[in-house]
Amino acid sequence: MNDFIDKRKKMLEAFKKEYRNRTNEGEMRDIPKDMFVKCEECNELLLVEDVEKNLWVCPKCGFHFRISARLRLKALDSNNTFVEMNQELSSVNPLDFPQYLEKVEKYQTITQEKEAVITGTMMLGNIPIAIGIMDSFFMMGSMGSVVGEKITRLIEKATMMRLPLIIFCASGGARMQEGMFSLMQMAKTTMALTRHDASGLLSIMVLTHPTTGGVAASFATLGDIIIAEHGALIGFAGPRVIEQTIHETLPQDFQKAEFLLEKGFVDIVTTRRELLSLLIKCCSYHEVAHE
Ligand SMILES: [Zn+2]
C-alpha cells in the first residue's frame, strides 16, 4: 500500500515538474485532462481521484469545487432512497427568445439533466425528507419557469406529506431568457414556502457557491435554518456591480459565506464533509420537537 502511495506521489511530482515546464513553453496539448485538476484557490495540481475521494474539496487548502446536483445527491443518499419527482419537465420558450431552446438542449446534453434542479423525496439517515438540489452546471443554475415550478411542487409535496424540506441552492439568479416569467417564480416559490412554514414544518436552505440574484432574493434566504457551504459567494448583485453603483471599494471577503455569518445573514457555515451529519442533526431536533 505504501509502495503504491509512494509511486503515485512520485508520479504526481514528475507530472507537476513537467507541467511547469510546459506552462513556461506554452505547450499544454498532451496533458491528460481527466487525471489532474488544478485548485482554483491554491493553484495546486491535484489527482482527480484524490479530490473525488475528498468530496471535491482541495486536500491542500480546503477549497470547495463546484459539483453537480447528482454528485451532491450521491454524497447524501448512499442507500439510494431518492425518488425523483417531475424529472421530465423541460423548458419552453415563452418569449421566443433567440436560440434559447438550443441553449437548453446544449446544457441537457452536457449535464444529462432536463433542467437546473432535481427534486424528490428521500431518507436522510432514518428521517424522510423532501429535497431539491440545484445544478450550477446547467445554465448557471438560473431559475426559469421549470426550476420555479419544480421547486414549488416540491415544497407543496413537503407540506402535504408533512416533511422537512432541504433545498441546496446554487444559482446565477433568474433566467434572463424567460424575462418576467422567471421573476414570477420568486413570488410563487415564496408563497409555497410560506404555506410550508405556516404548517409548522422545518425548512433548511443550504447555500452553495454561488447563490445569487432572484434565487438569493426569494426561497434561498427564507429557510428556518440557513446553512452556507465554506467559501460560497452569496448575494443579490455581484460585487463588481455594487462597486460601480456605490463608487466604493468593498471589503475583501464581501458576500463570502464567512463574512455573511459574521453579519448574521446566514446561521451556520460548514464544510462539505460535515454537512450530512449537520443536516441529520437539524432534522432530528425537529422530529423531537414534533413528538
Ligand atoms: Zn487548494
Side-chain angles (χ1 to χ4, degrees), residues 39-44 46 58 60-63:
C39 173
E40 291 170 36
E41 186 78 34
C42 70
N43 286 329
E44 182 74 20
L46 306 159
C58 171
K60 291 269 169 188
C61 73
F63 171 75

Side-chain angles (χ1 to χ4, degrees), residues 180-234:
M180 190 54 84
F181 291 97
S182 295
L183 297 181
M184 278 161 56
Q185 309 308 316
M186 294 169 67
K188 194 167 83 180
T189 51
T190 300
M191 280 160 65
L193 203 52
T194 307
R195 283 192 286 267
H196 184 263
D197 186 55
S199 307
L201 299 164
L202 173 74
S203 61
I204 303 173
M205 299 296 153
V206 184
L207 312 186
T208 72
H209 180 75
T211 298
T212 60
V215 167
S218 61
F219 64 89
T221 43
L222 292 174
D224 295 314
I225 304 172
I226 299 174
I227 300 172
E229 206 170 59
H230 164 71
L233 178 87
I234 300 154

Side-chain angles (χ1 to χ4, degrees), residues 112-127:
Q112 292 297 299
E113 301 292 351
K114 286 273 183 211
E115 254 298 338
V117 67
I118 55 176
T119 55
T121 52
M122 63 171 256
M123 296 298 289
L124 187 77
N126 53 8
I127 304 164

Side-chain angles (χ1 to χ4, degrees), residues 46-287:
L46 306 159
L47 273 171
V48 165
E49 198 190 327
D50 290 346
V51 188
E52 247 172 7
K53 271 191 213 142
N54 206 30
L55 299 174
W56 284 93
V57 173
C58 171
K60 291 269 169 188
C61 73
F63 171 75
H64 284 48
F65 287 84
R66 281 198 291 139
I67 56 171
S68 70
R70 289 287 158 191
L71 211 56
R72 241 178 224 292
L73 179 65
K74 211 172 134 193
L76 295 169
D77 183 32
S78 48
N79 294 329
N80 289 324
T81 60
F82 182 66
V83 179
E84 191 162 358
M85 295 161 50
N86 306 122
Q87 66 261 49
E88 290 308 314
L89 281 190
S90 179
S91 289
V92 291
N93 192 355
L95 302 179
D96 283 328
F97 195 94
Q99 263 106 52
Y100 176 40
L101 288 183
E102 285 85 341
K103 203 166 179 183
V104 169
E105 274 167 30
K106 184 181 120 190
Y107 281 98
Q108 286 177 339
T109 309
I110 293 172
T111 61
Q112 292 297 299
E113 301 292 351
K114 286 273 183 211
E115 254 298 338
V117 67
I118 55 176
T119 55
T121 52
M122 63 171 256
M123 296 298 289
L124 187 77
N126 53 8
I127 304 164
I129 60 160
I131 185 165
I133 308 179
M134 300 186 78
D135 196 321
S136 65
F137 293 105
F138 195 108
M139 293 186 78
M140 208 51 219
S142 56
M143 176 164 69
S145 309
V146 173
V147 169
E149 181 65 19
K150 283 178 85 169
I151 287 174
T152 304
R153 288 188 193 183
L154 174 76
I155 303 170
E156 285 172 348
K157 175 134 183 161
T159 310
M160 204 174 71
M161 293 179 69
R162 299 201 59 78
L163 295 176
L165 168 79
I166 299 179
I167 303 179
F168 281 76
C169 308
S171 181
R175 189 170 295 173
M176 175 187 86
Q177 292 88 342
E178 291 187 32
M180 190 54 84
F181 291 97
S182 295
L183 297 181
M184 278 161 56
Q185 309 308 316
M186 294 169 67
K188 194 167 83 180
T189 51
T190 300
M191 280 160 65
L193 203 52
T194 307
R195 283 192 286 267
H196 184 263
D197 186 55
S199 307
L201 299 164
L202 173 74
S203 61
I204 303 173
M205 299 296 153
V206 184
L207 312 186
T208 72
H209 180 75
T211 298
T212 60
V215 167
S218 61
F219 64 89
T221 43
L222 292 174
D224 295 314
I225 304 172
I226 299 174
I227 300 172
E229 206 170 59
H230 164 71
L233 178 87
I234 300 154
F236 184 63
R240 231 179 331 145
V241 175
I242 299 174
E243 279 188 329
Q244 282 166 7
T245 310
I246 64 171
H247 303 293
E248 269 180 48
T249 310
L250 295 166
Q252 208 188 354
D253 288 335
F254 185 69
Q255 294 181 319
K256 282 288 169 72
E258 285 73 8
F259 180 88
L260 296 170
L261 176 71
E262 208 178 287
K263 303 290 170 200
F265 191 80
V266 300
D267 299 312
I268 306 167
V269 174
T270 187
T271 60
R272 201 169 283 160
R273 187 159 288 285
E274 286 163 347
L275 194 51
L276 177 59
S277 58
L278 178 66
L279 289 173
I280 292 176
K281 204 189 273 180
C282 291
C283 288
S284 60
Y285 286 159
H286 176 74
E287 290 245 301

